[in-house]
Amino acid sequence: MSSPITQNPTPQNVNSLLLKLSDADPDIRYMSLNDLYATLSAGHQTFLLNDLNTCSKTVDGLLKTLDDQNGEVQNSAIKCLGPLVLKANPDILAPLIEKLSNLTTKNAIDSSISATALRTVVVSLPRSVPGLPRSKAVQDAYSAVSKVLIPRLVGYVVLPQGKPQPATMRGMLVSDPQKGVDSDAIDVLVEVVRCFGSMLQDPEIRALQMTVMDILENDRTGSVVKKKAVTAISILTIYLNDRLLSAFVSQLIESFRNPHISLVKRRLFITMIGSLTRSIPRRFGPYLKTLAPFVLSAVSEKELNDEIEETEESGESDPQLEEVREAALVTLEALLASCSSEMRAYTEEVINAAIRYLKYDPNITSAEGDEEMGDTQAEQNDGDTESDGVPDEEEDFEEEAGFSDDDDMSWKVRRCAAKLLYTLISTRGSGDLLDDGTLYEQVGPVLVARFTEREENVRLEILATMDFLVRKTGEGTVIPSASTVDESYALSLMNPPQSRKRRRGGSDASMFDNQASMSLSAGVVSPVAPPIPASGPRASLAKLTAPIVRGIANLFRGSSNPTKLAGIALLKDIVAVQHGGLSEYLNQIIDPVLEAVKASAVSSSQNSASAVSGTVSATGSNLRIEALVLVSSLAENHPSSVLQPYLSKLVPVLVSAVRDRFYKVSGEALYAVEQLVKVITPPRLSTAEQLHQAHMAKLYDVIINRTTANDADLEVRQRAIHALGVLLARTSGPEGSKLISSSKRQSALDALNDRLKNEITRLAAVRAIDTVAALASDRKDFSAAWVREVAMELGAQLRKSDRSLRGASLAAMKNLVVNPAGRANLDDKTIRDIVNVLLPLLDTNDLHLLGPALVVMANLVQGNASKVVDSSLESAICQIVLVPLGGAVLDALLILVRSIGEQGAGKNLMQGLLKHVGVNGDPACVGKVIGTLLVYGQATVGVKIEDFASELQTAQDDQRKCLALSVLGESSLRFGTTSPLQPELFISHFTSKSDQVPLTAAIALGRAAAGNVGRFLPVILANVERSGSSQYLLLHSIKEMLQHARHATKDLAPLSGQIWSKLLVTSQAEDNRAVGAECIGRLTIIDPKTYLPMLQAYLNDKNARVRGMVIQSIRYTLADTDESFDDYLRPILTSVLTCILNDSDLENRRLALTTLNSATHNKPDLILPELGHLIPLVMKESNIKSELLREVQMGPFKHKVDDGLEIRKSAYETLHSLMETAFSRINIVEFYDRVIAGLEDEHDIRVLCNLMLTKLIVLDPEETVRRLDPVAEKFRATLSFKPKENAVKQEVEKAQEASKGVLRVTVVLSESFPTAAGPTMGGMNQTWRSYLEWVKKEYGAQLKAIEEEDREQTSRVEQG
């Protein structure tokens, strides 16, 4: 048993343990070493510093145990070296390293002990940190490595120390005549460079490089050693200066030019190019102009033809040629990934090489002819199955000939060619080679033709590459989805048609009741595939779909499950990208897909067993699940008329799959059944035929069975409940009722009610009821008892703490009450009970629930005011109005107030508002509520509009005047032409000395003008020409009028020209520019046909202010317009954006960037096709421009001013928006360059770039890994920055915030890419690994705090 370790050990404790290291019992030696490790780790940093004797004894004892026969003892001895070198006297380091490097084991079997011990010592030594001064400990460590270890590695003294050196010294990296090169010594070299690379001097780096190159050029060197040597070279080149790097590249070039270079060395040098590209892409990129041709020549057509001729003459092919080609293709993949900009010049050669070797199969003589036929397959449409399929002889060719990996290695070349095409699509498929047709014209047909590949792993790579090309085609494409159509249909059942335009003044039910919480899936109407464009990627995909489907259909015959999975994934992505697109080919794919869904008794039992063990068979259930997902996608995205012929096949297979014992198969089958229910129900299918009734009966039975089965998995029951809700919702009304009997409907409703009372299935049942209530079209669809019971159960859930359950329950209750079919079944008692459960929700602490609750109340008031409106409700409304509200919640409140007024129950509410709220609330909000109640309550509320007009004239304080003005403005807006008020009533208050009254009067005048344009607008226009503050106020009135004049466009039309001309004149003033621009934008929205061309013409005005005003006006038109406005905007938007982004005025370009930002959010479908022309202009503005930097003298100090900072901020904000909405259209290499550059810009830009970086982790993880080194450099610089001692508090806080932001992103990056800091990355990410070690050492406490904070935040989000 180990002895207890002293808290503050001394050298005597160490000596006592050293005595036991010679014990005959290996267990004693092992435990003593463990105690020694604990003692050395626990000891003070200096407890052995001055005791050379103990240090020497410890070294000797450890050296002895390194030669122990027991492996555990050896490992423990190696572990002790780490803390020893940190606590021992620095003078002991050099002798220790020398003894370890010369250690020869006699008793131990493992010959790598010496190298492993050296690596442990090197890794444990203190090392330098960039940006910080080097301590004495770091200098001592490097001195020991430089004096002893490097000479031992290379075999000679690199830096003479003035002392006599040994005459001969065998280097650890020098090849031994009998044993060759020790691969473990290369591992030691890698650690030396990784830990001390930044401190190594040029002669040392040069010596190490030459030694490694000698190893590579030695013909006797084994492949494992060469692979490690290439890694060592890639790490060494990180620390080469420009001169040494240039010399090294020159040496590499000369080696390539050697006419007698062997194939082995050629492959090695090509591999080295790929490794260096990954290691130092920015520095190595400029050399590719010379080096890339050497790589491409290895896969050129000339070399292939020469090899074919030589093979025909000799009858044998050289297998080393295959290895050279494989290395060349792998290197080309690295070049495209790491240096895509430099490789653009070789795009054609790379594509040709990849295609050439994707077809390369020397063992099938007819391959060339087959591929040539395959290239034109997309244009052929014959029905000959034999020509389209794979001949039986070719399918069995491999087995008959007895091919294996040893006989034929060409499959590796083809696999690498497929991977190269995948990388090409990844780096050049974002609006580059994809848009110009190169990928579909040259690459796509070849990939499809190679679906017949005989080697499965190659075939899977080909299918994955084709799938990736399809997904790239769909990225950034804005196509109306079926769910959008579904939602609009649901809205039309109860509300008037909605516009995308948000109207601030509306208060009808459609303004708020958008059914956002309705649990509906796609499929209310039969989906119509969007039209295929005449040209472009989607058009090319449509042309290629036929051969793709034929190829996949052939693969389903006799292929393995992984191949079938890949084929199904490709079909799913085609459906997703084209939103259908397979209508003409269902006859080819339905049968094989259904065969994949089916499961024999054997596979079913296997699936059940795997489910119990926690694993899923990749060859069984996964295929079935993916096939079911494809069936769901087909049903969701194709018209019912197309799917009808296959219903007889689909229904039995899906019903059987739902009953499967494996829960994942059953759950996915239920989702497919749900989509099938939509296919055979109205309105997607208008007539209910007898066959459809039979199908529906089967679907109903299996859904209700899974819903009520208590032994079914929870996920299966939840899916079944949702499917049951969809079935009941879709069979509502006269046509739907033909598909399901009333008794079955009632049984299903009772089942939902029963599931609602079960805590486990409650949330799923609430959402299903939500769906049923939203789409019910007849009160006979449910019984009154069921509606009342469900309503009360939903009300009970509003008291629960589960936020998601409360929100879903309120949404379901809202649809139950808003829908006349549901509301008609409510009795007085239920209505009163609902009101009681809703009253606690009428609180501004939770606006998410407040809005729907107000809408429910508003609908209950209609026809039931005496039961709903009481003092409790009135008090709740008054409390709500005290808080400033806006948006949807205010609209919902106005809906409720309007309903109360219309029912004649507003008198007490009006008194409460005037008495208890009045000037205590926000005048704008209170005025809208009182004005709405005044208009719709008429005489029943006890006050008249004239009373507020009198109050305005007699009130002394500003708050009362503002409230009266708001009430008068809102009332006049809603009274319209019947309002008795005159414009002078409002204009007379423009001259008030108050800060609030004039603007409130202007807004009230605008709202009144929107209700009565003919009376108010001429007066406004007559006064707007006056200069001064009244002009600014009248512009606000015009803006407010234009915002709310949606019902008075005819009245505006005669005066629109006069409005336009006056706005152009008055908006020239500095103070008027912003509001004037908004007015012009609002007027353009009303009449785009007239004013959009005029705005475009003004962009060429010589006056920069006029151009700036026009740019702002265009921006205002983007947010509040619908599709009808888009028809006028679409032809000119791109040219307008291009024009304004090239404006000569700096401020105008900044406004142009904000306009593009707005277009990105509000009109993505209009700008996506032309982003290739706009993004370079944005990136140009993100650069720091020296001509915009200047110095300002401030007393004795000079202060730097950056006039381009604001426009750079706008540029980065626009890039951030583009990244979220159109990432697939951005050149990721150039985009990442700007993000990394922004990491060292001003504070606000750094914050934004940190945010973008966290999103890029998800959007493009591969490129993020490649950029970790430059990111680490910027992060280290930020963390190393220390504010001056006399810095102001704001600068100190900014520095602290910047450091915390960097640490937070560091945590996210390290968690997202844990392997990037490991040894598996070879020469890549050395800077990142070093940075990560430094951060963990220097900022460990902060990192832990951030990690804990992130975990707590994640936990809060998960809890709701």
Side-chain angles (χ1 to χ4, degrees):
M1 181 179 291
S2 301
S3 59
I5 305 301
T6 307
Q7 291 297 325
N8 296 304
T10 63
Q12 287 74 20
N13 300 120
V14 175
N15 286 321
S16 65
L17 293 171
L18 293 176
L19 296 175
K20 301 178 183 179
L21 298 184
S22 301
D23 196 283
D25 188 347
D27 291 338
I28 299 294
R29 299 197 300 274
Y30 172 74
M31 289 188 291
S32 300
L33 284 169
N34 279 340
D35 291 342
L36 179 61
Y37 173 78
T39 301
L40 292 172
S41 300
H44 189 269
Q45 193 71 24
T46 60
F47 90 109
L48 290 178
L49 186 62
N50 298 316
D51 196 336
L52 284 174
N53 185 38
T54 302
C55 291
S56 299
K57 288 181 180 179
T58 306
V59 169
D60 293 338
L62 292 178
L63 288 172
K64 182 178 179 181
T65 51
L66 285 174
D67 194 22
D68 201 284
Q69 293 180 346
N70 189 289
E72 294 296 329
V73 173
Q74 289 178 312
N75 292 337
S76 297
I78 291 173
K79 190 168 67 169
C80 290
L81 290 171
L84 175 64
V85 297
L86 293 176
K87 306 293 172 65
N89 191 297
D91 295 338
I92 210 74
L93 291 179
L96 171 61
I97 292 174
E98 185 172 1
K99 290 178 181 180
L100 288 175
S101 63
N102 289 303
L103 179 66
T104 55
T105 55
K106 299 177 182 178
N107 301 318
I109 299 175
D110 189 357
S111 60
S112 66
I113 288 294
S114 173
T116 305
L118 281 171
R119 288 169 56 198
T120 302
V121 169
V122 172
V123 170
S124 302
L125 288 172
R127 65 192 74 168
S128 65
V129 175
L132 296 180
R134 293 167 183 168
S135 64
K136 183 178 183 301
V138 173
Q139 292 288 0
D140 292 338
Y142 164 69
S143 178
V145 171
S146 177
K147 291 178 182 178
V148 180
L149 187 52
I150 292 179
R152 284 290 294 117
L153 287 171
V154 300
Y156 59 91
V157 177
V158 180
L159 299 175
Q161 304 295 327
K163 298 180 180 180
Q165 304 294 334
T168 58
M169 182 190 306
R170 188 183 69 82
M172 297 172 65
L173 293 171
V174 177
S175 177
D176 185 272
Q178 280 118 15
K179 299 180 182 178
V181 178
D182 184 7
S183 64
D184 298 313
I186 299 180
D187 294 334
V188 176
L189 180 147
V190 169
E191 292 300 335
V192 168
V193 177
R194 191 174 70 85
C195 297
F196 294 96
S198 60
M199 299 182 70
L200 295 178
Q201 301 180 46
D202 288 349
E204 293 173 320
I205 295 177
R206 178 66 175 164
L208 293 172
Q209 175 203 326
M210 292 177 63
T211 303
V212 176
M213 287 301 295
D214 290 340
I215 295 173
L216 289 171
E217 294 180 353
N218 190 337
D219 294 335
R220 297 180 65 245
T221 304
S223 59
V224 175
V225 176
K226 286 183 177 179
K227 185 176 181 180
K228 289 187 175 182
V230 170
T231 301
I233 281 289
S234 66
I235 296 176
L236 269 168
T237 51
I238 296 174
Y239 304 101
L240 290 177
N241 59 35
D242 293 340
R243 180 179 58 81
L244 289 178
L245 179 60
S246 178
F248 175 70
V249 173
S250 298
Q251 180 184 353
L252 200 58
I253 293 171
E254 292 302 319
S255 300
F256 273 115
R257 289 175 176 169
N258 182 2
H260 304 294
I261 185 174
S262 66
L263 291 175
V264 174
K265 288 186 177 180
R266 189 182 184 191
R267 175 176 63 85
L268 198 61
F269 294 143
I270 290 174
T271 303
M272 196 182 301
I273 291 175
S275 184
L276 294 178
T277 302
R278 298 185 190 94
S279 181
I280 49 171
R282 289 181 295 169
R283 296 180 63 199
F284 198 67
Y287 295 104
L288 292 182
K289 186 175 181 181
T290 306
L291 291 172
F294 293 119
V295 181
L296 288 166
S297 65
V299 287
S300 64
E301 186 174 9
K302 179 179 180 302
E303 290 210 6
L304 179 61
N305 293 335
D306 293 343
E307 188 252 341
I308 292 174
E309 293 178 3
E310 292 177 5
T311 302
E312 290 176 351
E313 293 176 3
S314 62
E316 294 183 358
S317 61
D318 191 345
Q320 291 184 350
L321 273 173
E322 310 286 9
E323 296 178 0
V324 172
R325 290 165 180 157
E326 180 186 358
L329 292 169
V330 170
T331 298
L332 285 175
E333 183 184 354
L335 295 179
L336 286 178
S338 301
C339 302
S340 59
S341 300
E342 290 82 357
M343 288 298 293
R344 283 179 176 267
Y346 303 100
T347 300
E348 193 65 30
E349 292 92 328
V350 170
I351 293 175
N352 291 336
I355 292 174
R356 182 179 302 117
Y357 285 97
L358 188 67
K359 302 175 181 180
Y360 176 68
D361 197 347
N363 296 290
I364 298 180
T365 56
S366 61
E368 189 67 32
D370 290 343
E371 302 305 338
E372 293 300 325
M373 291 176 64
D375 287 344
T376 59
Q377 194 172 11
E379 287 77 25
Q380 296 175 352
N381 193 23
D382 56 19
D384 191 352
T385 306
E386 290 186 81
S387 63
D388 290 337
V390 183
D392 293 338
E393 304 86 74
E394 186 171 316
E395 286 182 354
D396 298 330
F397 180 85
E398 183 175 351
E399 284 147 7
E400 288 177 5
F403 275 102
S404 67
D405 288 350
D406 296 331
D407 299 323
D408 175 26
M409 303 300 290
S410 64
W411 65 270
K412 292 185 178 181
V413 177
R414 297 194 299 276
R415 184 181 63 180
C416 290
K419 289 184 176 180
L420 176 58
L421 289 174
Y422 188 100
T423 304
L424 178 73
I425 296 169
S426 174
T427 56
R428 303 290 302 280
S430 297
D432 185 4
L433 298 181
L434 186 65
D435 285 349
D436 66 14
T438 301
L439 292 178
Y440 272 106
E441 291 174 6
Q442 298 185 34
V443 177
V446 178
L447 288 171
V448 175
R450 291 303 303 170
F451 284 179
T452 58
E453 168 65 47
R454 55 191 178 84
E455 288 287 343
E456 183 173 48
N457 50 11
V458 182
R459 186 165 61 243
L460 292 176
E461 286 291 344
I462 292 170
L463 287 166
T465 303
M466 188 68 227
D467 190 14
F468 189 48
L469 177 57
V470 172
R471 282 186 277 118
K472 275 288 183 183
T473 304
E475 288 179 357
T477 305
V478 179
I479 301 174
S481 64
S483 59
T484 305
V485 179
D486 186 28
E487 182 177 320
S488 63
Y489 173 78
L491 293 172
S492 69
L493 295 178
M494 291 165 286
N495 300 318
Q498 290 198 59
S499 167
R500 279 173 47 195
K501 182 173 180 179
R502 178 178 167 269
R503 303 289 186 179
R504 295 196 300 178
S507 60
D508 53 33
S510 65
M511 287 298 301
F512 181 84
D513 190 19
N514 57 8
Q515 305 291 319
S517 58
M518 188 171 59
S519 304
L520 282 177
S521 304
V524 168
V525 294
S526 261
V528 179
I532 301 298
S535 60
R538 288 187 60 233
S540 301
L541 175 59
K543 295 177 182 177
L544 201 60
T545 300
I548 289 175
V549 172
R550 285 199 297 269
I552 293 176
N554 290 333
L555 289 178
F556 273 107
R557 298 199 296 266
S559 296
S560 64
N561 284 345
T563 297
K564 293 178 181 178
L565 270 172
I568 287 173
L570 178 53
L571 290 175
K572 280 195 306 180
D573 286 326
I574 291 176
V575 173
V577 170
Q578 300 286 53
H579 279 252
L582 296 183
S583 298
E584 301 175 11
Y585 316 108
L586 291 181
N587 60 331
Q588 300 180 49
I589 62 176
I590 286 291
D591 288 337
V593 169
L594 291 182
E595 285 297 322
V597 173
K598 294 177 183 178
S600 64
V602 175
S603 64
S604 181
S605 61
Q606 289 175 346
N607 291 339
S608 299
S610 65
V612 172
S613 65
T615 59
V616 180
S617 172
T619 57
S621 59
N622 275 3
L623 176 61
R624 301 178 64 204
I625 291 169
E626 292 304 311
L628 286 166
V629 173
L630 176 58
V631 171
S632 303
S633 184
L634 291 172
E636 186 177 0
N637 291 281
H638 291 84
S640 298
S641 57
V642 174
L643 295 165
Q644 277 193 74
Y646 308 100
L647 290 177
S648 299
K649 297 179 180 179
L650 286 166
V651 171
V653 174
L654 294 182
V655 168
S656 175
V658 170
R659 295 194 176 102
D660 195 271
R661 286 179 289 176
F662 184 38
Y663 76 98
K664 288 190 176 181
V665 172
S666 180
E668 203 56 59
L670 277 166
Y671 184 73
V673 165
E674 180 183 321
Q675 301 305 319
L676 215 58
V677 167
K678 297 171 185 175
V679 170
I680 60 178
T681 51
R684 278 187 62 171
L685 205 61
S686 57
T687 57
E689 299 176 3
Q690 187 173 0
L691 183 60
H692 298 154
Q693 296 174 9
H695 293 325
M696 180 59 73
K698 295 178 182 178
L699 298 178
Y700 171 87
D701 290 341
V702 74
I703 292 174
I704 201 71
N705 175 267
R706 293 292 86 189
T707 300
T708 56
N710 291 324
D711 59 339
D713 187 87
L714 175 60
E715 183 179 332
V716 174
R717 278 183 285 168
Q718 290 174 340
R719 281 283 180 93
I721 291 169
H722 188 273
L724 184 61
V726 172
L727 186 148
L728 291 173
R730 299 302 299 274
T731 54
S732 174
E735 286 297 327
S737 61
K738 298 177 182 178
L739 295 170
I740 179 175
S741 65
S742 58
S743 59
K744 286 187 174 182
R745 167 174 285 277
Q746 189 57 48
S747 298
L749 290 171
D750 292 340
L752 283 183
N753 192 10
D754 182 62
R755 296 292 92 179
L756 180 62
K757 298 173 183 177
N758 188 309
E759 186 175 358
I760 298 177
T761 58
R762 180 171 291 146
L763 183 57
V766 168
R767 289 171 175 162
I769 292 171
D770 184 12
T771 305
V772 175
L775 291 183
S777 58
D778 192 335
R779 64 174 297 177
K780 297 179 181 178
D781 287 341
F782 4 72
S783 65
W786 184 87
V787 172
R788 295 164 189 170
E789 186 177 355
V790 165
M792 296 316 302
E793 190 67 34
L794 291 173
Q797 309 314 314
L798 298 178
R799 303 188 183 97
K800 299 294 178 65
S801 60
D802 188 337
R803 183 170 177 79
S804 59
L805 177 61
R806 292 169 64 199
S809 299
L810 183 57
M813 181 177 288
K814 184 187 69 173
N815 284 328
L816 198 63
V817 173
V818 169
N819 193 332
R823 190 169 64 246
N825 287 292
L826 298 175
D827 59 1
D828 295 347
K829 181 180 181 302
T830 306
I831 291 174
R832 191 62 230 173
D833 291 339
I834 293 175
V835 171
N836 290 333
V837 298
L838 288 178
L839 281 174
L841 300 182
L842 301 185
D843 189 290
T844 54
N845 291 328
D846 194 340
L847 298 180
H848 178 71
L849 299 179
L850 174 59
L854 289 170
V855 172
V856 175
M857 284 290 196
N859 283 272
L860 290 176
V861 167
Q862 297 173 11
N864 304 283
S866 60
K867 308 177 190 67
V868 177
V869 182
D870 57 11
S871 59
S872 299
L873 178 59
E874 292 161 354
S875 176
I877 293 175
C878 290
Q879 291 298 317
I880 293 172
V881 178
L882 285 171
V883 179
L885 298 175
V889 176
L890 179 58
D891 292 338
L893 178 60
L894 296 179
I895 294 172
L896 174 57
V897 171
R898 174 178 176 173
S899 298
I900 294 174
E902 289 175 338
Q903 297 298 315
K907 183 175 182 178
N908 292 335
L909 177 59
M910 178 64 79
Q911 291 177 356
L913 290 171
L914 295 174
K915 182 177 179 181
H916 302 297
V917 181
V919 296
N920 296 321
D922 177 29
C925 178
V926 178
K928 287 183 179 180
V929 173
I930 294 177
T932 302
L933 186 59
L934 178 66
V935 172
Y936 294 105
Q938 298 288 334
T940 62
V941 297
V943 293
K944 301 178 181 179
I945 192 171
E946 291 80 6
D947 297 333
F948 289 97
S950 301
E951 175 73 12
L952 177 61
Q953 301 299 333
T954 59
Q956 299 298 318
D957 61 292
D958 295 341
Q959 284 293 100
R960 293 183 183 279
K961 288 183 179 180
C962 290
L963 178 58
L965 285 167
S966 298
V967 172
L968 293 173
E970 187 70 22
S971 301
S972 297
L973 170 66
R974 296 180 181 277
F975 272 129
T977 56
T978 62
S979 172
L981 302 182
Q982 298 299 321
E984 290 75 13
L985 178 67
F986 301 97
I987 297 176
S988 63
H989 288 82
F990 282 10
T991 56
S992 173
K993 296 180 180 180
S994 168
D995 294 335
Q996 301 175 351
V997 172
L999 185 58
T1000 304
I1003 294 174
L1005 175 63
R1007 297 179 76 85
N1012 194 340
V1013 174
R1015 181 189 303 169
F1016 283 78
L1017 184 55
V1019 177
I1020 294 174
L1021 293 178
N1023 288 275
V1024 79
E1025 293 181 352
R1026 300 176 184 174
S1027 60
S1029 59
S1030 62
Q1031 187 180 76
Y1032 173 77
L1033 294 171
L1034 288 170
L1035 285 175
H1036 271 283
S1037 299
I1038 294 174
K1039 182 192 76 171
E1040 198 72 19
M1041 178 195 68
L1042 294 173
Q1043 275 186 308
H1044 298 88
R1046 63 185 184 277
H1047 299 306
T1049 52
K1050 292 183 179 179
D1051 297 331
L1052 276 174
L1055 297 172
S1056 61
Q1058 190 178 353
I1059 299 173
W1060 175 268
S1061 59
K1062 291 185 182 296
L1063 287 175
L1064 287 177
V1065 175
T1066 55
S1067 300
Q1068 300 299 313
E1070 183 69 27
D1071 294 339
N1072 297 343
R1073 191 181 306 173
V1075 64
E1078 185 172 357
C1079 291
I1080 292 174
R1082 301 288 178 191
L1083 185 59
T1084 305
I1085 292 172
I1086 294 174
D1087 189 1
K1089 183 177 181 181
T1090 302
Y1091 295 115
L1092 265 180
M1094 295 175 68
L1095 278 181
Q1096 187 178 14
Y1098 273 109
L1099 290 175
N1100 298 318
D1101 195 279
K1102 295 180 180 180
N1103 190 334
R1105 290 189 175 185
V1106 173
R1107 299 198 304 273
M1109 179 194 63
V1110 171
I1111 294 170
Q1112 291 185 76
S1113 302
I1114 294 172
R1115 184 182 65 195
Y1116 286 118
T1117 66
L1118 298 173
D1120 291 344
T1121 50
D1122 53 18
E1123 290 81 0
S1124 61
F1125 183 84
D1126 293 351
D1127 295 336
Y1128 297 99
L1129 185 62
R1130 184 178 287 104
I1132 68 169
L1133 182 59
T1134 304
S1135 60
V1136 166
L1137 290 172
T1138 305
C1139 177
I1140 62 180
L1141 286 169
N1142 285 302
D1143 197 283
S1144 57
D1145 185 77
L1146 184 67
E1147 177 62 16
N1148 285 352
R1149 292 203 303 276
R1150 188 192 68 80
L1151 293 172
L1153 288 169
T1154 62
T1155 303
L1156 176 58
N1157 198 346
S1158 177
T1160 302
H1161 284 291
N1162 298 291
K1163 306 290 182 184
D1165 49 330
L1166 299 187
I1167 66 166
L1168 278 178
E1170 303 297 333
L1171 272 182
H1173 306 296
L1174 301 174
I1175 292 178
L1177 300 175
V1178 180
M1179 290 190 176
K1180 184 177 73 171
E1181 298 298 342
S1182 68
N1183 289 284
I1184 298 177
K1185 298 179 180 179
S1186 57
E1187 64 270 20
L1188 297 178
L1189 299 175
R1190 56 190 173 91
E1191 283 189 349
V1192 177
Q1193 191 78 28
M1194 299 180 67
F1197 305 104
K1198 289 185 177 180
H1199 179 65
K1200 287 186 177 180
V1201 177
D1202 185 358
D1203 292 329
L1205 177 59
E1206 292 302 320
I1207 193 172
R1208 286 206 310 281
K1209 287 181 183 178
S1210 297
Y1212 274 103
E1213 289 168 358
T1214 305
L1215 288 176
H1216 179 251
S1217 298
L1218 291 170
M1219 181 184 73
E1220 293 185 325
T1221 57
F1223 182 74
S1224 62
R1225 318 300 294 179
I1226 299 175
N1227 184 314
I1228 184 59
V1229 176
E1230 296 176 1
F1231 183 80
Y1232 233 122
D1233 288 341
R1234 300 316 313 148
V1235 172
I1236 292 175
L1239 292 175
E1240 60 180 357
D1241 209 316
E1242 294 295 326
H1243 177 74
D1244 292 341
I1245 296 176
R1246 287 203 305 267
V1247 171
L1248 188 57
C1249 287
N1250 283 336
L1251 177 61
M1252 294 163 72
L1253 191 57
T1254 58
K1255 294 182 178 180
L1256 285 167
I1257 293 172
V1258 179
L1259 292 173
D1260 197 337
E1262 294 84 3
E1263 185 65 23
T1264 304
V1265 171
R1266 290 192 284 268
R1267 298 296 185 124
L1268 285 177
D1269 282 354
V1271 167
E1273 294 174 1
K1274 308 300 183 188
F1275 280 3
R1276 192 191 293 271
T1278 301
L1279 292 174
S1280 301
F1281 172 76
K1282 304 297 180 186
K1284 297 179 181 179
E1285 293 182 359
N1286 60 348
V1288 297
K1289 182 181 178 182
Q1290 186 180 9
E1291 292 180 357
V1292 175
E1293 290 176 349
K1294 277 188 176 182
Q1296 292 173 348
E1297 185 182 347
S1299 297
K1300 187 175 181 180
V1302 163
L1303 291 174
R1304 188 175 296 280
V1305 180
T1306 299
V1307 169
V1308 177
L1309 286 169
S1310 62
E1311 290 177 350
S1312 302
F1313 310 110
T1315 59
T1320 56
M1321 299 300 290
M1324 290 181 65
N1325 303 332
Q1326 290 297 314
T1327 306
W1328 172 253
R1329 280 198 285 272
S1330 172
Y1331 162 76
L1332 211 54
E1333 292 172 359
W1334 172 69
V1335 166
K1336 289 179 179 178
K1337 180 180 179 182
E1338 299 292 332
Y1339 299 90
Q1342 292 95 317
L1343 290 177
K1344 288 182 180 178
I1346 291 172
E1347 291 171 355
E1348 184 63 29
E1349 183 181 334
D1350 290 344
R1351 280 194 292 269
E1352 291 178 359
Q1353 185 176 358
T1354 303
S1355 177
R1356 286 197 299 269
V1357 171
E1358 290 176 351
Q1359 291 174 2

